[in-house]
């Protein structure tokens, strides 16, 4: 809505196409994420917190590999993907994609963290994190749209994912800290 109001319909089209493309990796990954909440809920009800940490470590390390592979693929071929899906008229959507696709790994990580938080019953904390992220995202969007146009909005979205991951990791740090396998 901010893009539509500030920049107009043409840029809103570009942003809509960008959102369609960035959703492609989630077509495959989303069913797996949907499985995590009941898994974490079951483990939490049995007080098997070490298993929650183990599952988090396995999923986050493996999904980071998938996220980096998708990010590199979409970064390199963004304009080609846009051309194939939406034709030449929407090539700026590929440029927009390049701004935020490098933050895709944070989107994967936030889904795992939010599944843990829901599974252990910390929904209120999730709401606080989302409210903080929304507030930051509004500010980042206003600044980003002003200086970079639609690409600034995409960048603000990626930074919003980073903020959510940082806040959720902060909350889960004591019980569910993991080692990333670099």
């Amino acid at each position: 809505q901010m893009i539509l109001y500030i920049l107009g319909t043409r840029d809103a089209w570009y942003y809509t196409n960008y959102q369609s493309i960035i959703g492609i990796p989630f077509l495959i990954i989303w069913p797996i994420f949907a499985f995590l909440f009941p898994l974490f809920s079951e483990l939490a009800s049995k007080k098997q917190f070490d298993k929650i940490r183990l599952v988090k470590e396995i999923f986050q390390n493996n999904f980071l590999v998938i996220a980096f592979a998708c990010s590199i693929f979409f970064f390199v071929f963004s304009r080609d993907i846009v051309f194939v899906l939406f034709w030449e008229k929407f090539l700026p959507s590929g440029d927009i994609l390049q701004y935020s696709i490098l933050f895709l790994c944070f989107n994967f990580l936030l889904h795992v963290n939010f599944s843990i938080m829901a599974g252990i019953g910390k929904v209120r904390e999730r709401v606080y994190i989302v409210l903080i992220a929304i507030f930051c995202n509004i500010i980042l969007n206003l600044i980003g749209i002003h200086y970079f146009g639609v690409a600034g909005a995409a960048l603000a979205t990626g930074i919003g994912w980073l903020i959510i991951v940082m806040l959720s990791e902060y909350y889960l740090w004591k019980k569910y800290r993991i080692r990333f396998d670099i």
Side-chain angles (χ1 to χ4, degrees), residues 29-77:
I29 307 279
W30 189 249
I32 298 169
F33 285 146
F35 168 73
L36 289 178
F37 165 66
L39 174 68
F40 291 137
S41 181
E42 180 69 23
L43 291 173
S45 70
K46 294 179 179 178
K47 307 229 183 284
Q48 296 177 334
F49 302 114
D50 55 330
K51 288 185 180 179
I52 292 175
R53 191 177 319 108
L54 177 65
V55 171
K56 177 184 178 187
E57 186 171 341
I58 290 169
F59 270 80
Q60 284 194 341
N61 284 328
N62 290 320
F63 279 117
L64 278 179
V65 171
I66 294 168
F68 283 132
C70 287
S71 294
I72 291 168
F73 178 80
F74 280 99
F75 186 80
V76 171
F77 296 108

Side-chain angles (χ1 to χ4, degrees), residues 5-152:
Y5 179 75
I6 296 171
L7 298 176
T9 56
R10 183 184 56 131
D11 289 320
W13 286 342
Y14 296 147
Y15 191 78
T16 303
N17 290 335
Y18 145 77
Q19 285 185 319
S20 299
I21 296 166
I22 206 155
I24 292 171
F26 292 100
L27 293 174
I28 299 165
I29 307 279
W30 189 249
I32 298 169
F33 285 146
F35 168 73
L36 289 178
F37 165 66
L39 174 68
F40 291 137
S41 181
E42 180 69 23
L43 291 173
S45 70
K46 294 179 179 178
K47 307 229 183 284
Q48 296 177 334
F49 302 114
D50 55 330
K51 288 185 180 179
I52 292 175
R53 191 177 319 108
L54 177 65
V55 171
K56 177 184 178 187
E57 186 171 341
I58 290 169
F59 270 80
Q60 284 194 341
N61 284 328
N62 290 320
F63 279 117
L64 278 179
V65 171
I66 294 168
F68 283 132
C70 287
S71 294
I72 291 168
F73 178 80
F74 280 99
F75 186 80
V76 171
F77 296 108
S78 63
R79 291 181 63 84
D80 298 322
I81 293 168
V82 168
F83 181 77
V84 168
L85 293 176
F86 304 113
W87 299 100
E88 188 174 357
K89 181 178 180 181
F90 292 102
L91 281 178
S93 296
D95 299 331
I96 297 165
L97 181 64
Q98 287 182 326
Y99 278 89
S100 72
I101 198 66
L102 299 175
F103 291 94
L104 184 65
C105 61
F106 297 117
N107 195 311
F108 284 28
L109 295 175
L110 77 86
H111 280 89
V112 175
N113 285 350
F114 268 26
S115 293
I116 291 173
M117 292 177 78
I120 62 175
K122 301 300 180 185
V123 178
R124 179 178 292 152
E125 289 80 359
R126 281 178 42 158
V127 171
Y128 293 147
I129 290 170
V130 169
L131 288 175
I132 292 168
I134 288 171
F135 176 74
C136 293
N137 195 281
I138 289 170
I139 293 169
L140 289 170
N141 265 301
L142 290 172
I143 294 168
I145 290 171
H146 177 73
Y147 287 108
F148 303 109
V150 184

